[in-house]
Amino acid sequence: MNVNQPPHLATPYMQPLPPGYQQPGYGGQPVPGGPQYPGYNGPVQGYPQHVPSQGFSSSLGFPQKGSPDSFTSGTSSPITSHYIGPVRSPPTSGVPTAAGMSLPSEQMHYNQYGGQGDMQNGPASLSNQMQRQPVSQPYIQTAPLSQGTNFQQYPPTSTSTQHLTNQMMGMHLGGVPTSTPQTSATSFGSQSPLPPSSGSFPASGSATYNPYSNNQGPAAMNLSQVMPPTSLPQVQPPPSQQFPGPPASQRLPASQGFPSQPAAPASHYPPPISGGLPPTTMQGPGIPGQPLSGPPLSQSNNISPTQAQPAVPGMMPGPQGPPPPMPPPGQGGFPLQQNGSFGQVRGPQPGYPTAYPRAPNYGNQPGPQGAPIQPPPAQKRLDPDSIPSPIQVIEDDRANRSSEPFITGVRGQVPPLVTTNFLVKDQGNASPHYIRCSSYNFPASSDMAKQSQVPLAAVIKPLATLPSDEAPPCLVDHGETGPIRCNRCKAYMCPYMQFIEGGRRFQCCFCSCVTEVPPHYFQHLDHTGKRVDCYDRPELSMGSYEFTATVDYCKNNKFPNPPAFIFMIDVSYNAVKSGLVALICEELKQLIDYLPREGNMEESVIRVGFVTYNKVLHFYNVKSSLAQPQMMVVSDVADMFVPLLDGFLVNVNESRTVITSLLDQIPELFADTRETETVFAPVVQAGLEALKAADCAGKLLVFHTTLPIAEAPGKLKNRDDKKLLNTDKEKTLFQPQTTFYNNLAKDCVAQGCCVDLFLFPNQYTDVATLGIVPYHTGGSIYKYTFFKMETDKERFLNDLRRDVQKDIGFDAVMRVRTSTGIRATDFFGAFYMSNTTDVELAGLDCDKTITVEFKHDDKLNEEIGALLQCAVLYTSCGGQRRLRIHNMALNCCTQLADLYRNCETDTLINYFAKFAYRGVLTNPTKTVRDSLINQCAQILACYRKNCASPSSAGQLILPECMKLLPVYLNCILKSDVLQPGPEVTIDDRAYVRQLVSAMDVADTNVFFYPRLLPFSKVDPASDSLPVAIRTSEERLSKGDIYLLENGLNLFIWVGANVQQALIQNLFGVSSFSQIDCSMSAIPVLDNPVSNKMHAIITMFRAQRPRYMKLLIVKQDDKLEMFFKHLLVEDKNLNGGASYVDFLCHMHKEIRQLLS
């Protein structure tokens, strides 16, 4: 079953809606005309539901009493467990909505953002919660509810707390170790039985009692109780039928000890601690016909005061004594269990005796005439705070790993997350800034890899910019002989080569071939077998370094000429009228002084040339000896040639006055143009021919506005057809119209001609076709739809400056070598491949990444591990031929638990996104989404089956390192490429598809799960930022201001109740209504609040490769749709599931695989 269904209404891709679009309903409000969500099987009306226990105040945070911290595995390090729970109590007062009915306006007003000012309905803000455990947070579960056979599709979840049915209630998250026989276990947390709510319980499923043991946390739920297989009908037994019972923790007398599931030996775990704050009482009347029942208030946290007795060590005891009697029907339900490993179960917020916001189908709501509707039984909701939080994981990693430097000397170490700032010390493996792996412990055999389904991938960023406190790679020059290499596999000298025979030969660590050491490179070995000069030579002691290449590594056996930049400006009517041509020319006068140069050079050796075009091309002679520039027009675009050689590509300093004169004249020359048609392919051909004539590599910067419909090679037609969406032909929209551009790109790569494309479209321009040239040449695309001078000028100029100035290599070839047993089989990114091993890039800049997938071709040895070596041959911007080498040593394992313990989810997500975005070229988007869900379910099911201790299928158990895989995967599935709304254009989708294909791990992380920062928690006097919050609407307070960034856009969201003083300090106006949302920048005001906001915006922009556009969004404003579209934990209007619903769906998929 597919969670992400075809869209019914979508959110615009950062473009304002045309008038007449309906503002969508959020959070459970009915959306006209849209199908409801398909998905997991919801509850059946009329089945018994639990009545809430006494609610807790939300400020209590996560209790830390007696929660299991970790389990000792029989392999190596402990795997930490995570449990899901508790379910939020249902509304106990007020009148929740029935489906399809609107809420009273005042309730809506409060519900939308959770209270006045800082008050939030739902989770307390992170700052006032108790500190959670640093390594792992305990997740908890409660008793499951019954389930019927007539299933509904995804019920509308509210954007505030996502409603979850009984199915999730027995879920249990976390890693449990490989099955080690249990020696002894103690059950605890049991409590006197309480009668269930009216109705009877299903009798299917095992009748085993599963009490909590203090090493396993919540008991396993019966299979029949949580998410039953859809094929298994569940009948409603007569009231007299014996109920197999909820988990023992909820109904066993404290004197009975039952065995838990086999797990690691239980010891050193604290017993449950009683005490703590008593629960606050529920406010408002109870649900009609269901009296509240629960433990007396004197028992804090609902823990029975009697101490549980341990089971007999070494054997599996059976139930001691008869099971407790079945409670009579018609009475209150079981209270929610609250023992040491439980999080809080929340009742209504103190002082707000209303129902939970926007809860469809809960309780009764007066109809249009106020007539009461018969209440269906109350439904439980899973607390979103009880499922894995990306923010918690990010903050824990920062707290634990940012203070110490990451030393790369140890094989197979998992680095800190990309969101953590840390210092790297290179001691033999490449820095994580250059290479990140999906797992740092590869499976030893292909069978094991197939079984786990975990992709074995590395994300490589060969020319990455390092932080200022880290040294760039050392440059090694071996003179005319060049770098030392293995005779057989041609791997380059690295720290893992083994010197033998007193240092006269070395054995290759990749292919085991023995090679003679050249006499000039010979050195004696010390008593450990290492060369005595190993720490003096970067290639023997470092993970990353560069070699100066000899003439043998150059084209045609001659050293390259310095590269060139050619600026190619569209001067058609649209470009001139919008002011774009004048803006580009004005900027280029200064920008040509900032061309990239080699570190120690006085000035850049890069030469520049200028072309303008519409239906014909104009070349300019800017030779330094001329008084004025000369224009030459080529109107025969079918057979492109360059009309001049001398004077076209020039040195900036020599020809400065002529260049300045030209840039002054171009806007005047074309000021009165009426030409609207343009060509595109001949422009690229002209640049390519100019570089060929000059015998150098280089970059074309093309500024283009329209679909090239003029008669010329590469002419395109408009194929913008919305009717193809969600059909088998949708994939053609991502493919180029013609093979002409593929061939053109191939010619460019052969010459080392990289193309950067700046697009300024007002309508469809076929990015999928035009983008092929930058994509295959290692270039970049920048897109400024409906370019307006006042809103887009700053972003365009910053992007242009960075594009011209950034570090870049030309005419690059990359090869990845591996040790015996694995090989690189697949490559993802912006490049060209003419064979199966060499990645060719006409240009390779500091932002470009290549994701490489590895497969087994033999078994790996656990002792030796696996080795990767990435070698990139390129021409530097100073015209020097270089080799950059990155080495990485990984462990390998025969136990699946070791594989899962050393994975990195952020890198997996980078791989999955690129895999899916390439998949849409050949498959329908639904097929791509389904295959992603299936692979993710197989990964987690394999872990569950082989690494977790045996327990009921009602539990969802996630590996510690992969507990964020579901939330991040759901973000990919909901992205505009795989699940667009109707107003996301085909060009936008093609643009994002190409953009993501070259992103590194940090960029995909923030693109798919944006960063959301509460401005009220910012201290203007401090340099530190507050903790981010989860991207869900229920986390927003209408009394606050938030910043949200995803790497392309930066939003400032202003709540309706923000204090007037704050608005005055930030926007320079006196009230909320006066804030101007059309501003592309906030005013510069001389006060600490304004200064801090500007500092944060500047810092965010500096961290991203593109200049993020600033959008100011007021609560309930029409632009708010864009902002809400990026609140990725919520359901979206295109049919994307909420995080909670998707976790449910994944659990169901995993159970189907296991059964």
Side-chain angles (χ1 to χ4, degrees):
M1 178 199 298
N2 179 19
V3 176
N4 298 310
Q5 277 304 92
H8 50 270
L9 175 67
T11 342
Y13 193 72
M14 308 316 158
Q15 297 297 341
L17 279 176
Y21 257 100
Q22 167 147 6
Q23 188 69 354
Y26 263 80
Q29 307 293 30
V31 178
Q36 280 308 340
Y37 288 78
Y40 78 93
N41 308 313
V44 177
Q45 307 272 329
Y47 266 58
Q49 309 284 336
H50 277 35
V51 173
S53 79
Q54 318 283 346
F56 271 96
S57 142
S58 65
S59 61
L60 287 177
F62 270 67
Q64 300 183 3
K65 305 187 286 299
S67 52
D69 273 340
S70 63
F71 296 88
T72 311
S73 152
T75 48
S76 51
S77 60
I79 302 179
T80 318
S81 250
H82 293 276
Y83 305 96
I84 268 210
V87 222
R88 284 206 184 168
S89 31
T92 53
S93 63
V95 271
T97 44
M101 295 172 54
S102 59
L103 288 154
S105 58
E106 70 274 13
Q107 185 181 344
M108 176 90 163
H109 188 60
Y110 163 69
N111 288 345
Q112 184 99 5
Y113 297 98
Q116 276 74 37
D118 254 343
M119 174 56 97
Q120 288 177 219
N121 188 5
S125 63
L126 283 167
S127 59
N128 54 15
Q129 281 192 14
M130 284 162 59
Q131 192 57 40
R132 304 183 202 181
Q133 308 239 6
V135 181
S136 63
Q137 66 202 75
Y139 300 104
I140 40 268
Q141 69 185 20
T142 51
L145 302 183
S146 60
Q147 176 82 20
T149 46
N150 54 327
F151 303 116
Q152 74 184 60
Q153 305 294 56
Y154 272 110
T157 50
S158 86
T159 336
S160 61
T161 330
Q162 275 75 356
H163 301 259
L164 212 25
T165 59
N166 358 20
Q167 294 190 311
M168 275 293 274
M169 286 214 261
M171 280 174 59
H172 155 140
L173 280 183
V176 198
T178 44
S179 40
T180 320
Q182 171 181 326
T183 50
S184 69
T186 315
S187 63
F188 69 80
S190 48
Q191 155 182 326
S192 309
L194 278 135
S197 50
S198 58
S200 45
F201 290 77
S204 56
S206 123
T208 324
Y209 297 107
N210 295 315
Y212 299 131
S213 68
N214 34 349
N215 68 327
Q216 195 178 329
M221 297 293 115
N222 289 340
L223 238 108
S224 61
Q225 293 171 325
V226 188
M227 291 198 184
T230 46
S231 59
L232 180 69
Q234 296 191 350
V235 290
Q236 197 166 356
S240 60
Q241 194 163 350
Q242 179 63 42
F243 164 51
S249 56
Q250 295 216 274
R251 56 190 299 269
L252 291 179
S255 60
Q256 295 177 333
F258 290 113
S260 77
Q261 303 299 336
S267 59
H268 63 266
Y269 295 111
I273 302 166
S274 56
L277 292 170
T280 53
T281 52
M282 291 283 193
Q283 311 200 356
I287 293 167
Q290 292 194 345
L292 276 176
S293 69
L297 282 183
S298 58
Q299 280 174 249
S300 290
N301 278 4
N302 303 0
I303 297 172
S304 164
T306 335
Q307 186 65 41
Q309 295 178 355
V312 183
M315 59 182 286
M316 301 288 282
Q320 295 151 17
M326 164 82 173
Q331 296 183 26
F334 291 100
L336 291 175
Q337 176 69 14
Q338 287 259 328
N339 69 13
S341 63
F342 271 30
Q344 70 251 45
V345 176
R346 297 206 179 90
Q349 289 263 355
Y352 292 93
T354 53
Y356 273 102
R358 288 168 295 149
N361 301 329
Y362 291 78
N364 54 354
Q365 168 95 346
Q369 285 79 37
I373 295 164
Q374 189 56 32
Q379 205 179 25
K380 293 290 188 334
R381 291 180 288 189
L382 188 79
D383 182 351
D385 280 352
S386 65
I387 56 181
S389 157
I391 305 303
Q392 189 65 40
V393 171
I394 287 167
E395 287 304 316
D396 287 347
D397 193 76
R398 278 184 185 148
N400 296 329
R401 305 200 64 179
S402 61
S403 52
E404 294 294 313
F406 178 70
I407 297 167
T408 69
V410 182
R411 184 178 82 187
Q413 276 187 109
V414 182
L417 298 181
V418 284
T419 43
T420 301
N421 285 327
F422 58 99
L423 183 71
V424 179
K425 290 195 173 168
D426 184 343
Q427 292 190 1
N429 282 307
S431 159
H433 298 303
Y434 294 123
I435 303 183
R436 279 186 177 266
C437 297
S438 59
S439 177
Y440 288 81
N441 206 331
F442 275 22
S445 68
S446 60
D447 290 344
M448 191 173 158
K450 280 186 193 128
Q451 185 185 2
S452 74
Q453 287 287 309
V454 175
L456 305 176
V459 180
I460 305 173
K461 196 174 180 181
L463 300 187
T465 306
L466 295 180
S468 54
D469 47 4
E470 290 179 31
C474 301
L475 181 61
V476 180
D477 189 349
H478 283 311
E480 289 181 10
T481 56
I484 312 298
R485 303 176 69 177
C486 166
N487 273 345
R488 184 199 288 161
C489 71
K490 302 297 179 195
Y492 294 88
M493 180 55 69
C494 73
Y496 301 100
M497 298 290 190
Q498 187 68 44
F499 286 88
I500 53 176
E501 297 179 22
R504 286 187 295 278
R505 303 169 116 193
F506 68 91
Q507 185 172 27
C508 177
C509 50
F510 295 95
C511 69
S512 303
C513 173
V514 174
T515 301
E516 294 281 338
V517 174
H520 73 272
Y521 195 72
F522 172 79
Q523 188 52 271
H524 295 285
L525 308 184
D526 64 14
H527 63 286
T528 64
K530 274 190 175 174
R531 283 172 56 123
V532 295
D533 65 348
C534 95
Y535 291 110
D536 302 329
R537 290 191 176 271
E539 73 273 22
L540 299 180
S541 57
M542 315 274 287
S544 301
Y545 41 88
E546 285 200 328
F547 291 118
T548 304
T550 59
V551 75
D552 305 332
Y553 292 87
C554 302
K555 262 187 196 162
N556 307 324
N557 279 357
K558 62 176 200 177
F559 285 111
N561 291 316
F565 280 16
I566 304 176
F567 298 94
M568 316 187 89
I569 306 166
D570 176 348
V571 290
S572 63
Y573 177 75
N574 277 349
V576 174
K577 182 169 145 275
S578 66
L580 187 62
V581 173
L583 180 68
I584 293 168
C585 291
E586 193 56 42
E587 179 63 27
L588 289 183
K589 289 182 202 170
Q590 282 81 45
L591 197 52
I592 52 175
D593 286 330
Y594 296 96
L595 300 173
R597 59 178 187 264
E598 210 77 73
N600 51 5
M601 286 185 174
E602 285 293 311
E603 61 178 63
S604 175
V605 297
I606 292 175
R607 292 170 297 162
V608 296
F610 300 90
V611 172
T612 56
Y613 66 94
N614 38 48
K615 270 167 71 170
V616 297
L617 277 76
H618 323 104
F619 293 80
Y620 296 93
N621 184 345
V622 283
K623 196 173 179 181
S624 56
S625 56
L626 294 173
Q628 282 293 322
Q630 296 171 346
M631 177 203 277
M632 297 185 182
V633 180
V634 177
S635 52
D636 181 10
V637 290
D639 184 18
M640 185 45 62
F641 66 97
V642 180
L644 75 163
L645 293 179
D646 191 27
F648 179 63
L649 294 178
V650 296
N651 177 289
V652 171
N653 285 341
E654 290 171 8
S655 298
R656 178 174 306 281
T657 51
V658 192
I659 291 172
T660 305
S661 173
L662 169 68
L663 293 171
D664 284 335
Q665 289 177 41
I666 286 174
E668 295 165 16
L669 276 172
F670 300 98
D672 301 323
T673 185
R674 286 284 169 268
E675 185 56 73
T676 56
E677 292 187 355
T678 58
V679 295
F680 181 75
V683 180
V684 177
Q685 284 173 326
L688 172 60
E689 292 301 323
L691 293 177
K692 272 186 185 169
D695 192 22
C696 69
K699 177 152 87 169
L700 313 182
L701 292 95
V702 184
F703 304 92
H704 190 77
T705 59
T706 57
L707 188 71
I709 54 171
E711 275 307 322
K715 173 186 174 181
L716 299 178
K717 61 178 189 288
N718 189 329
R719 52 168 188 162
D720 186 7
D721 188 356
K722 282 282 166 84
K723 293 197 286 294
L724 297 183
L725 297 181
N726 298 310
T727 69
D728 280 351
K729 290 188 176 173
E730 182 178 12
K731 59 185 179 233
T732 61
L733 299 174
F734 292 111
Q735 298 164 0
Q737 272 189 47
T738 155
T739 57
F740 182 88
Y741 287 93
N742 297 69
N743 296 328
L744 179 58
K746 182 179 171 183
D747 295 341
C748 287
V749 172
Q751 181 56 39
C753 168
C754 167
V755 180
D756 281 349
L757 178 56
F758 293 82
L759 278 175
F760 306 87
N762 290 338
Q763 56 200 22
Y764 178 74
T765 49
D766 202 349
V767 173
T769 303
L770 299 187
I772 282 290
V773 180
Y775 185 75
H776 282 315
T777 59
S780 305
I781 305 184
Y782 301 86
K783 185 164 170 280
Y784 310 89
T785 311
F786 303 120
F787 177 83
K788 287 194 179 64
M789 199 63 84
E790 55 276 11
T791 54
D792 297 305
K793 171 183 168 184
E794 203 55 38
R795 178 164 66 112
F796 162 58
L797 291 181
N798 277 281
D799 282 342
L800 176 59
R801 286 165 194 156
R802 189 171 189 280
D803 190 78
V804 167
Q805 295 174 42
K806 66 186 173 186
D807 286 339
I808 185 169
F810 297 97
D811 213 358
V813 183
M814 179 179 111
R815 182 176 284 193
V816 178
R817 293 179 173 84
T818 54
S819 54
T820 311
I822 54 168
R823 61 195 169 87
T825 56
D826 212 347
F827 301 84
F828 303 84
F831 51 76
Y832 179 78
M833 290 187 83
S834 56
N835 56 39
T836 56
T837 54
D838 294 336
V839 173
E840 298 173 51
L841 302 113
L844 172 62
D845 64 48
C846 57
D847 297 327
K848 293 289 180 299
T849 59
I850 294 96
T851 298
V852 186
E853 186 179 11
F854 302 95
K855 292 268 167 68
H856 286 74
D857 54 11
D858 203 348
K859 280 199 166 176
L860 292 171
N861 183 326
E862 271 192 287
E863 295 299 312
I864 300 167
L867 288 173
L868 320 175
Q869 184 179 78
C870 164
V872 182
L873 175 65
Y874 70 99
T875 302
S876 72
C877 51
Q880 196 178 28
R881 206 69 177 144
R882 299 257 182 94
L883 277 156
R884 180 167 290 199
I885 313 294
H886 298 296
N887 301 289
M888 177 66 80
L890 304 168
N891 288 327
C892 66
C893 57
T894 52
Q895 297 292 322
L896 281 164
D898 291 332
L899 164 65
Y900 283 100
R901 197 181 284 120
N902 291 280
C903 285
E904 193 186 57
T905 301
D906 293 324
T907 308
L908 279 171
I909 288 299
N910 182 281
Y911 166 84
F912 278 134
K914 292 177 181 180
F915 178 79
Y917 282 15
R918 187 176 70 182
V920 298
L921 292 172
T922 48
N923 299 287
T925 50
K926 184 181 183 304
T927 309
V928 174
R929 291 198 305 265
D930 289 346
S931 68
L932 274 186
I933 292 172
N934 185 42
Q935 183 167 3
C936 183
Q938 287 186 332
I939 290 170
L940 298 176
C942 174
Y943 175 81
R944 172 63 196 264
K945 183 178 177 185
N946 298 288
C947 305
S949 61
S951 56
S952 151
Q955 294 172 326
L956 173 60
I957 303 179
L958 299 177
E960 169 66 20
C961 289
M962 286 190 195
K963 64 187 179 191
L964 299 181
L965 189 59
V967 62
Y968 287 163
L969 187 80
N970 191 34
C971 297
I972 296 178
L973 297 171
K974 292 198 291 189
S975 64
D976 289 323
V977 172
L978 295 185
Q979 196 160 32
E983 72 306 294
V984 177
T985 67
I986 291 160
D987 274 350
D988 280 329
R989 296 174 71 194
Y991 170 63
V992 170
R993 195 191 78 77
Q994 295 201 12
L995 207 60
V996 170
S997 300
M999 277 185 180
D1000 72 358
V1001 179
D1003 292 338
T1004 50
N1005 175 272
V1006 78
F1007 180 75
F1008 289 111
Y1009 193 92
R1011 173 158 61 160
L1012 181 60
L1013 220 62
F1015 191 66
S1016 66
K1017 306 286 188 291
V1018 172
D1019 176 6
S1022 162
D1023 285 341
S1024 62
L1025 289 178
V1027 173
I1029 60 172
R1030 291 169 69 168
T1031 48
S1032 169
E1033 192 182 336
E1034 75 153 346
R1035 311 279 165 172
L1036 304 180
S1037 154
K1038 62 200 310 189
D1040 203 351
I1041 290 176
Y1042 296 86
L1043 280 99
L1044 182 142
E1045 62 137 346
N1046 74 341
L1048 296 185
N1049 293 286
L1050 184 59
F1051 290 85
I1052 296 178
W1053 182 89
V1054 187
N1057 290 2
V1058 172
Q1059 290 172 354
Q1060 193 178 337
L1062 186 53
I1063 290 175
Q1064 184 71 53
N1065 282 337
L1066 271 184
F1067 301 102
V1069 294
S1070 55
S1071 70
F1072 175 79
S1073 60
Q1074 292 175 306
I1075 297 172
D1076 179 9
C1077 286
S1078 65
M1079 292 191 295
S1080 59
I1082 57 169
V1084 179
L1085 304 171
D1086 189 16
N1087 65 66
V1089 175
S1090 178
N1091 294 342
K1092 185 65 179 178
M1093 179 64 94
H1094 279 281
I1096 293 174
I1097 291 171
T1098 304
M1099 183 177 78
F1100 278 13
R1101 282 173 168 160
Q1103 290 169 355
R1104 307 290 167 215
R1106 297 187 178 224
Y1107 190 85
M1108 291 187 286
K1109 181 176 184 174
L1110 181 68
L1111 294 148
I1112 294 166
V1113 177
K1114 298 197 304 196
Q1115 184 180 343
D1116 298 331
D1117 186 64
K1118 61 180 185 292
L1119 278 173
E1120 199 181 31
M1121 274 179 82
F1122 309 134
F1123 176 79
K1124 286 181 177 174
H1125 187 56
L1126 297 180
L1127 299 177
V1128 290
E1129 287 200 21
D1130 296 338
K1131 212 159 67 172
N1132 75 15
L1133 294 179
N1134 311 347
S1138 70
Y1139 173 22
V1140 174
D1141 288 345
F1142 183 69
L1143 200 57
C1144 255
H1145 181 71
M1146 284 306 301
H1147 187 202
K1148 187 165 160 252
E1149 294 282 324
I1150 291 164
R1151 290 189 57 182
Q1152 284 176 352
L1153 288 171
L1154 291 174
S1155 61

